[in-house]
Amino acid sequence: MARVLAVANQKGGVAKTTSVSSLGAALCELDRRVLLVDLDPQACLTFSLGLDPDALELSVHDVLLGRLSAGIIITRTPDGTDLLPATIELAGCEAVLLSRTGREHALRLALAEIVDEYDFILIDCPPSLGVLTINGLTAADEVIVPLQCETLSHRGVGQLLDTVHDVQRLTNPGLRVRGVLPTLFDGRTAHCRAVLADVSARYDIAVLAPPVARSVRFAEAPGTGRSILTTARRSKGAEAYRSHARAIAGVAGVGTAAGIAGIAGI
Ligand code: ADP
Ligand code: MG
Protein backbone atom coordinates (compact mmCIF):
# COMPACT_ATOMS: atom_id res chain seq x y z
CA MET A 1 0.00 0.00 0.00
CA ALA A 2 1.38 3.38 -1.01
CA ARG A 3 2.61 5.92 1.47
CA VAL A 4 0.94 9.21 0.63
CA LEU A 5 2.85 12.47 1.04
CA ALA A 6 1.26 15.88 0.56
CA VAL A 7 3.53 18.80 -0.29
CA ALA A 8 1.79 21.91 0.98
CA ASN A 9 2.32 25.57 1.71
CA GLN A 10 -0.33 28.16 0.91
CA LYS A 11 2.37 30.52 -0.31
CA GLY A 12 3.10 30.34 -4.05
CA GLY A 13 6.61 30.10 -5.44
CA VAL A 14 8.17 28.12 -2.57
CA ALA A 15 8.99 25.08 -4.78
CA LYS A 16 6.06 22.79 -3.96
CA THR A 17 5.69 21.69 -7.58
CA THR A 18 9.44 21.43 -8.10
CA SER A 19 9.75 19.31 -4.96
CA VAL A 20 6.96 16.96 -6.05
CA SER A 21 8.41 16.35 -9.52
CA SER A 22 11.99 16.06 -8.25
CA LEU A 23 11.22 13.78 -5.30
CA GLY A 24 9.00 11.70 -7.58
CA ALA A 25 11.76 11.25 -10.15
CA ALA A 26 14.28 10.51 -7.40
CA LEU A 27 12.00 7.84 -5.87
CA CYS A 28 11.63 6.35 -9.35
CA GLU A 29 15.42 6.11 -9.61
CA LEU A 30 15.21 3.98 -6.45
CA ASP A 31 12.83 1.67 -8.34
CA ARG A 32 9.81 2.76 -6.36
CA ARG A 33 6.44 2.97 -8.08
CA VAL A 34 5.37 6.59 -7.87
CA LEU A 35 2.16 8.48 -8.60
CA LEU A 36 2.13 12.29 -8.65
CA VAL A 37 -1.18 14.10 -8.15
CA ASP A 38 -1.59 17.64 -9.46
CA LEU A 39 -4.10 19.37 -7.17
CA ASP A 40 -3.40 22.91 -8.39
CA PRO A 41 -5.83 24.46 -10.93
CA GLN A 42 -2.84 26.25 -12.44
CA ALA A 43 -1.65 22.76 -13.47
CA CYS A 44 2.05 23.65 -13.29
CA LEU A 45 3.06 20.10 -12.36
CA THR A 46 1.12 18.72 -15.33
CA PHE A 47 2.72 21.25 -17.67
CA SER A 48 6.21 20.78 -16.27
CA LEU A 49 5.98 17.03 -16.94
CA GLY A 50 5.32 17.55 -20.61
CA LEU A 51 1.52 17.56 -20.85
CA ASP A 52 -0.50 20.49 -22.19
CA PRO A 53 -3.24 21.06 -19.60
CA ASP A 54 -5.31 22.99 -22.14
CA ALA A 55 -5.43 19.96 -24.43
CA LEU A 56 -6.51 17.42 -21.80
CA GLU A 57 -10.06 16.10 -21.93
CA LEU A 58 -10.00 14.45 -18.53
CA SER A 59 -8.26 15.35 -15.33
CA VAL A 60 -8.20 14.98 -11.57
CA HIS A 61 -11.33 17.10 -11.28
CA ASP A 62 -13.40 14.32 -12.94
CA VAL A 63 -12.02 12.01 -10.27
CA LEU A 64 -12.78 14.36 -7.39
CA LEU A 65 -16.35 14.77 -8.59
CA GLY A 66 -16.74 10.98 -8.70
CA ARG A 67 -17.32 10.82 -12.46
CA LEU A 68 -14.33 8.61 -13.30
CA SER A 69 -11.90 6.40 -11.46
CA ALA A 70 -8.34 7.65 -11.17
CA GLY A 71 -6.90 4.70 -13.10
CA ILE A 72 -8.55 5.86 -16.33
CA ILE A 73 -6.86 9.25 -16.25
CA ILE A 74 -3.38 8.45 -14.97
CA THR A 75 -0.62 8.75 -17.56
CA ARG A 76 3.08 7.86 -17.51
CA THR A 77 5.55 10.78 -17.66
CA PRO A 78 9.00 10.75 -19.33
CA ASP A 79 10.54 10.76 -15.83
CA GLY A 80 8.99 7.34 -15.15
CA THR A 81 6.46 8.58 -12.63
CA ASP A 82 2.72 8.28 -13.17
CA LEU A 83 0.67 11.47 -13.11
CA LEU A 84 -2.91 12.29 -12.26
CA PRO A 85 -3.04 15.57 -14.20
CA ALA A 86 -4.91 18.80 -13.53
CA THR A 87 -6.60 21.35 -15.75
CA ILE A 88 -8.06 24.76 -15.02
CA GLU A 89 -11.43 23.03 -14.53
CA LEU A 90 -10.16 22.11 -11.10
CA ALA A 91 -10.93 25.70 -10.07
CA GLY A 92 -14.64 25.08 -10.74
CA CYS A 93 -14.47 21.73 -9.01
CA GLU A 94 -13.61 23.50 -5.80
CA ALA A 95 -16.96 25.33 -5.85
CA VAL A 96 -18.91 22.13 -6.63
CA LEU A 97 -17.17 20.20 -3.86
CA LEU A 98 -18.10 22.88 -1.34
CA SER A 99 -21.76 21.94 -1.62
CA ARG A 100 -21.10 18.21 -1.12
CA THR A 101 -21.19 16.12 1.99
CA GLY A 102 -17.86 14.49 2.74
CA ARG A 103 -16.09 16.89 0.38
CA GLU A 104 -12.80 16.63 2.29
CA HIS A 105 -12.60 12.91 1.53
CA ALA A 106 -13.03 13.00 -2.25
CA LEU A 107 -9.33 12.49 -3.06
CA ARG A 108 -8.74 9.92 -0.32
CA LEU A 109 -11.63 7.82 -1.61
CA ALA A 110 -10.47 8.13 -5.21
CA LEU A 111 -6.92 7.07 -4.34
CA ALA A 112 -8.12 4.12 -2.27
CA GLU A 113 -8.79 2.22 -5.52
CA ILE A 114 -5.19 2.47 -6.72
CA VAL A 115 -3.22 2.72 -3.52
CA ASP A 116 -1.90 -0.84 -3.89
CA GLU A 117 -0.39 -0.11 -7.30
CA TYR A 118 2.19 2.34 -5.93
CA ASP A 119 4.87 2.63 -3.29
CA PHE A 120 4.50 6.40 -3.02
CA ILE A 121 1.84 8.93 -3.94
CA LEU A 122 2.97 12.57 -3.87
CA ILE A 123 0.34 15.31 -3.87
CA ASP A 124 1.13 18.79 -5.19
CA CYS A 125 -1.20 21.12 -3.27
CA PRO A 126 -2.36 24.51 -4.58
CA PRO A 127 -1.24 27.78 -2.98
CA SER A 128 -4.27 28.12 -0.71
CA LEU A 129 -5.76 26.52 2.38
CA GLY A 130 -9.05 25.77 0.63
CA VAL A 131 -10.93 22.55 0.04
CA LEU A 132 -8.36 21.18 -2.44
CA THR A 133 -5.46 21.44 0.02
CA ILE A 134 -7.69 19.96 2.72
CA ASN A 135 -8.41 17.06 0.35
CA GLY A 136 -4.66 16.62 -0.10
CA LEU A 137 -4.04 16.62 3.65
CA THR A 138 -6.97 14.30 4.31
CA ALA A 139 -5.61 11.77 1.81
CA ALA A 140 -2.04 11.95 3.15
CA ASP A 141 -0.02 10.02 5.71
CA GLU A 142 2.53 12.82 5.96
CA VAL A 143 2.90 16.45 4.93
CA ILE A 144 6.12 18.13 3.80
CA VAL A 145 6.24 21.93 3.96
CA PRO A 146 8.63 23.56 1.47
CA LEU A 147 9.83 26.84 2.87
CA GLN A 148 11.65 29.69 1.24
CA CYS A 149 13.76 31.17 4.00
CA GLU A 150 12.79 34.81 4.22
CA THR A 151 11.40 37.16 6.80
CA LEU A 152 7.77 36.35 7.68
CA SER A 153 8.00 32.82 6.21
CA HIS A 154 7.14 31.59 9.69
CA ARG A 155 3.68 33.19 9.55
CA GLY A 156 2.65 30.98 6.66
CA VAL A 157 3.92 27.89 8.50
CA GLY A 158 1.80 28.79 11.53
CA GLN A 159 -1.33 29.13 9.43
CA LEU A 160 -0.63 25.87 7.61
CA LEU A 161 -0.04 24.01 10.88
CA ASP A 162 -3.39 25.34 12.18
CA THR A 163 -5.02 23.75 9.13
CA VAL A 164 -3.06 20.53 9.67
CA HIS A 165 -4.31 20.40 13.26
CA ASP A 166 -7.90 20.90 12.07
CA VAL A 167 -7.44 18.05 9.59
CA GLN A 168 -5.95 15.82 12.32
CA ARG A 169 -8.92 16.59 14.55
CA LEU A 170 -11.69 16.32 11.97
CA THR A 171 -10.79 14.23 8.92
CA ASN A 172 -7.42 12.49 9.24
CA PRO A 173 -6.15 11.72 12.76
CA GLY A 174 -3.15 9.82 11.33
CA LEU A 175 -1.65 12.79 9.48
CA ARG A 176 1.96 13.47 10.49
CA VAL A 177 4.10 16.52 9.76
CA ARG A 178 7.35 15.23 8.26
CA GLY A 179 8.95 18.65 8.45
CA VAL A 180 9.97 21.83 6.73
CA LEU A 181 11.99 21.45 3.53
CA PRO A 182 14.24 24.49 3.03
CA THR A 183 14.09 25.49 -0.64
CA LEU A 184 15.61 28.31 -2.68
CA PHE A 185 18.23 28.21 0.05
CA ASP A 186 21.08 30.67 0.07
CA GLY A 187 23.66 29.24 2.45
CA ARG A 188 25.84 32.34 2.23
CA THR A 189 23.44 34.40 4.29
CA ALA A 190 23.06 33.99 8.03
CA HIS A 191 19.51 35.17 7.51
CA CYS A 192 18.40 31.87 5.93
CA ARG A 193 19.72 29.90 8.86
CA ALA A 194 18.15 32.32 11.35
CA VAL A 195 14.73 31.92 9.70
CA LEU A 196 15.00 28.12 9.84
CA ALA A 197 16.09 28.15 13.48
CA ASP A 198 13.18 30.43 14.33
CA VAL A 199 10.59 28.30 12.51
CA SER A 200 11.95 25.10 14.01
CA ALA A 201 11.88 26.45 17.57
CA ARG A 202 8.61 28.33 17.27
CA TYR A 203 6.58 25.38 15.97
CA ASP A 204 8.64 22.46 17.24
CA ILE A 205 8.92 21.18 13.71
CA ALA A 206 11.77 19.22 12.09
CA VAL A 207 13.91 20.92 9.48
CA LEU A 208 14.73 18.39 6.78
CA ALA A 209 18.37 18.30 5.67
CA PRO A 210 19.93 18.95 3.26
CA PRO A 211 18.42 22.27 2.17
CA VAL A 212 17.83 22.66 -1.57
CA ALA A 213 20.06 25.49 -2.75
CA ARG A 214 18.86 28.22 -5.06
CA SER A 215 20.09 27.43 -8.56
CA VAL A 216 19.28 28.62 -12.04
CA ARG A 217 19.15 24.97 -13.16
CA PHE A 218 15.68 24.69 -11.63
CA ALA A 219 14.25 27.46 -13.74
CA GLU A 220 15.28 25.63 -16.92
CA ALA A 221 13.68 22.27 -16.14
CA PRO A 222 9.89 22.92 -16.43
CA GLY A 223 10.15 24.01 -20.09
CA THR A 224 11.66 20.65 -21.04
CA GLY A 225 8.95 18.38 -19.64
CA ARG A 226 11.48 16.66 -17.38
CA SER A 227 12.50 17.24 -13.80
CA ILE A 228 15.90 18.52 -12.73
CA LEU A 229 16.84 14.91 -11.99
CA THR A 230 17.25 14.52 -15.75
CA THR A 231 17.96 18.04 -17.01
CA ALA A 232 20.77 18.62 -14.51
CA ARG A 233 21.54 15.09 -13.35
CA ARG A 234 24.61 15.84 -11.30
CA SER A 235 23.59 19.26 -9.95
CA LYS A 236 23.57 19.92 -6.23
CA GLY A 237 19.80 20.43 -6.42
CA ALA A 238 19.24 17.00 -7.96
CA GLU A 239 21.50 15.42 -5.35
CA ALA A 240 19.63 17.19 -2.55
CA TYR A 241 16.32 15.77 -3.76
CA ARG A 242 17.91 12.31 -4.14
CA SER A 243 19.02 12.52 -0.54
CA HIS A 244 15.48 13.37 0.60
CA ALA A 245 14.06 10.57 -1.55
CA ARG A 246 16.43 8.05 0.08
CA ALA A 247 15.36 9.29 3.51
CA ILE A 248 11.68 8.99 2.59
CA ALA A 249 12.17 5.52 1.14
CA GLY A 250 14.20 4.43 4.16
CA VAL A 251 17.29 3.58 2.15
CA ALA A 252 20.33 3.29 4.41
CA GLY A 253 23.23 5.68 4.68
CA VAL A 254 21.53 9.01 4.28
CA GLY A 255 20.86 12.18 6.15
CA THR A 256 17.31 12.24 7.48
CA ALA A 257 15.56 14.87 9.49
CA ALA A 258 18.63 16.32 11.13
CA GLY A 259 17.06 19.32 12.75
CA ILE A 260 18.65 22.69 12.59
CA ALA A 261 22.04 21.25 13.54
CA GLY A 262 22.20 19.59 10.15
CA ILE A 263 21.79 22.91 8.42
CA ALA A 264 24.35 24.78 10.48
CA GLY A 265 27.36 23.61 8.55
CA ILE A 266 26.01 24.59 5.14
P1 ADP B 1 5.21 26.45 -6.06
O1 ADP B 1 4.69 25.17 -6.59
O2 ADP B 1 5.38 26.45 -4.57
O3 ADP B 1 4.42 27.64 -6.52
P2 ADP B 1 7.38 26.08 -7.94
O4 ADP B 1 7.90 24.71 -7.70
O5 ADP B 1 6.49 26.29 -9.12
O6 ADP B 1 6.70 26.67 -6.62
O7 ADP B 1 8.66 27.03 -8.04
C1 ADP B 1 8.54 28.41 -8.30
C2 ADP B 1 9.67 28.85 -9.22
O8 ADP B 1 10.91 28.69 -8.55
C3 ADP B 1 9.74 28.02 -10.49
O9 ADP B 1 10.08 28.87 -11.56
C4 ADP B 1 10.87 27.03 -10.20
O10 ADP B 1 11.52 26.62 -11.39
C5 ADP B 1 11.77 27.86 -9.32
N1 ADP B 1 12.57 27.07 -8.38
C6 ADP B 1 12.17 26.02 -7.62
N2 ADP B 1 13.18 25.55 -6.85
C7 ADP B 1 14.25 26.34 -7.14
C8 ADP B 1 15.61 26.38 -6.68
N3 ADP B 1 16.08 25.53 -5.77
N4 ADP B 1 16.42 27.33 -7.22
C9 ADP B 1 15.97 28.21 -8.14
N5 ADP B 1 14.71 28.22 -8.62
C10 ADP B 1 13.86 27.31 -8.12
MG1 MG C 1 2.95 24.79 -7.64
Side-chain angles (χ1 to χ4, degrees), residues 47-50 78 220-228 230-231:
F47 179 81
S48 71
L49 293 176
E220 298 160 359
T224 66
R226 308 290 301 260
S227 79
I228 188 171
T230 309
T231 59

Side-chain angles (χ1 to χ4, degrees), residues 52-63:
D52 176 5
D54 296 336
L56 290 176
E57 294 277 323
L58 306 171
S59 78
V60 67
H61 101 280
D62 298 290
V63 173

